[in-house]
Amino acid sequence: MQTLTDLDLPHLPVETPAFAENPLRYLAEARAKHPWIASSSIGYLVHDYGAIRELLGQDDKLRPAYDGIVEQLGAHGTPWGRFTEEQMISLPVEQHRLLRDTFAAKFTPRYANQMRPMMQGTIRRLLDEWAPKGRFDFEEFASYFPISNMFTLVGAPREEIPSIRASFETLGLAFSMDKRRMPAIHEAFGRVEALVQRLIAERRAHPESGNRDDLLHLLIQTSDEGGIAERQLADLLIFLFVAGYDTSKNVLTHTMYLLLQRPEIYERCGQDHAYCGKVLEEAIRYYNPGQVPRFTSRDVAFRDVLIPRDTMLWFTLSISGRDPIAFPDPERFDPDRQIEPTRRHIAFSLGKHMCLGQFIARAQLQEALHQIPQRLRNPRLVGKFGWRPFPGIWGLHGLPIEFEPVEA
Amino acid sequence: MPKIKYIEPNGVEHVVELQPGQSVMQGAVWNGIPGIVAECGGSCACGTCRVYVDESWREKTGQASDMEDATMEIREDSRPGKRLSCQLTVTAELDGLVVRIPESQW
Ligand code: HEM
Ligand code: FES
């Protein structure tokens, strides 16, 4: 068995714009040199679908490496650094489980389905406002959708969104591992933290202003009963806002990009609600935003390689669905693709940190995918778009489109 | 140790011995029994470890919790006896338990 550090691994320039634009090209070359792992300036990348599937769910061998990110960015001791090291996903096993169990009932498929009428209303109102323009940046449009739903779910006033959205946008780039962004990230974090503290204080002062069924009520109640520390309460809201913001936005934007090139599928989405679900699953296989950071919590032997304890690994979920070994003809976008149980996309991760918001995300994206084609006819790309940095939350940057508006 | 029988949709049977305290999901995953995907590793969060408890055993396994029921709503399913196998903890009393695996978890 060889130790990881002794291997001659391919090196992936994940920090470059060229990589963000076309990671698959680099991946194909890397795979020729080593089938499942590569090195990079931010740590090792486990990129093979099968390897991710086998390793990532092994919670007894891995732990979230958000503290490693803070360290690489030299942000230990800052408010954002503290938050990132102590956020829900970074907590010790027992604390994480207790916290997650506290509000998991607000994230079940049942609850997500109950929220659908609210989500339908959100996208309808947004389309009422944006469709008459005839031309806009789809990413900007999309950015208002998940966060509006999230605010409602939490019980936060939606009027706050326009002034705080830019800060979510900045925080979404925090894990891009670029130190030059740190001053902006610290500033954005300060704004979001202040907002969240104000929301909690306002609700405490006026409990009657909220809904007894919303998440904020539940969290404040649990906190008052001693189940959650005050600090954790604020951290949790920040985490939920950030976790639900650009992941869903980027998926919606990229799905639109795919459908701009596939007008028949786009048309059908407007007519067939169930079909939208299939299109979404295929779109998430084809592209999803996440790279998941982990430390090995002990020496791990995997496929004849010894990965020493405390090695930082990034699992590239984002492009794992295009792995030619796992998915036949991976570049073909086919919503009717047969889903093998052990070959399903892993966009929401695996194991005990599996995305808590996966059913909320799916429900809201399905509702959007159904209504958008009904209101934006014949959309076409009318300008250039870019790519967000690959590390962290990857995705399209901007998607200028033009279309014929349809009134509701 | 209690023995659990898993029946695949095509009729193939697997019998596995488990320690009390382990889950029916773990028995399937550790022994490579196909069809129980268990993406969240037993957190009652993914709904991909569904099984159907054989009628004669339902009294002993008891009812799904509200949380478990809510998670099983990833899809419509009116077939009786449905449970998430990660929430079925093996006890001496469940020796001989028979569960059926669905065609698909989705
Ligand atoms: C398509 C959209 C989304 C994608 C692709 C996505 C992806 C992910 C991934 C990959 C993780 C695992 C991170 C890790 O293990 O380090 C995760 C965790 C999480 N996500 Fe999502 N997510 C999405 C939407 C959402 C939404 C809408 C919410 C909130 C409503 C949300 C809340 C969470 C939470 C709370 C966790 C942490 C779970 C834990 O540590 O137990 N996500 N998500
Ligand atoms: S393993 Fe995920 S719900 Fe049972």
Side-chain angles (χ1 to χ4, degrees), chain A residues 100 109-110 344 350-351 354 359, chain B residues 39-40 45 70 73-74 106:
Chain A
R100 186 162 165 147
R110 177 186 294 162
R344 190 162 88 125
L350 295 166
M354 188 174 195
F359 304 110
Chain B
E39 289 179 347
C40 74
E73 290 181 23
I74 60 169
W106 297 285

Side-chain angles (χ1 to χ4, degrees), chain A residues 53 59 100-101 104-105 108-110 113 339-341 344-345 349-352 354 358-359, chain B residues 35 37-41 43 45-48 66-67 69-75 103 106:
Chain A
R53 179 126 211 149
D59 289 314
R100 186 162 165 147
D101 287 354
T108 62
R110 177 186 294 162
N113 285 334
I339 299 176
E340 298 281 330
R344 190 162 88 125
H345 74 70
S349 195
L350 295 166
K352 67 168 177 258
M354 188 174 195
Q358 63 165 316
F359 304 110
Chain B
V37 186
E39 289 179 347
C40 74
S43 308
C46 69
T48 68
D66 201 41
M67 184 64 199
D69 265 332
T71 302
M72 279 193 281
E73 290 181 23
I74 60 169
R75 63 174 167 90
E103 282 290 342
W106 297 285

Side-chain angles (χ1 to χ4, degrees), chain B residues 51-64 78-83 88 94 97-100:
Chain B
V51 294
Y52 303 95
V53 172
D54 221 50
E55 199 173 352
S56 56
W57 285 93
R58 284 182 208 150
E59 210 165 298
K60 284 216 172 99
T61 53
Q63 296 277 318
S78 54
R79 192 168 150 187
K82 61 174 188 278
R83 290 295 304 268
L88 283 171
L94 290 184
L97 173 68
V98 179
V99 297
R100 289 165 201 279

Side-chain angles (χ1 to χ4, degrees), chain A residues 4 36-37 44-46 50-67 89-94 96 292-302 305-317 346 349-354, chain B residues 39:
Chain A
L4 186 59
W36 58 271
I37 193 162
Y44 294 98
L45 264 60
V46 179
I52 300 177
R53 179 126 211 149
E54 272 178 67
L55 269 173
L56 184 54
Q58 301 200 38
D59 289 314
D60 56 333
K61 295 184 183 149
L62 302 169
R63 65 176 181 86
Y66 293 90
D67 51 336
I89 201 162
S90 308
L91 292 175
V93 179
E94 214 29 38
H96 167 263
V292 164
R294 291 288 184 269
F295 278 121
T296 44
S297 50
R298 49 163 130 145
D299 288 354
V300 176
F302 182 72
V305 177
L306 180 76
I307 311 174
R309 186 191 157 133
D310 294 327
T311 302
M312 183 139 166
L313 303 171
W314 292 82
F315 291 86
T316 57
L317 308 185
I346 42 178
S349 195
L350 295 166
K352 67 168 177 258
H353 293 288
M354 188 174 195
Chain B
E39 289 179 347

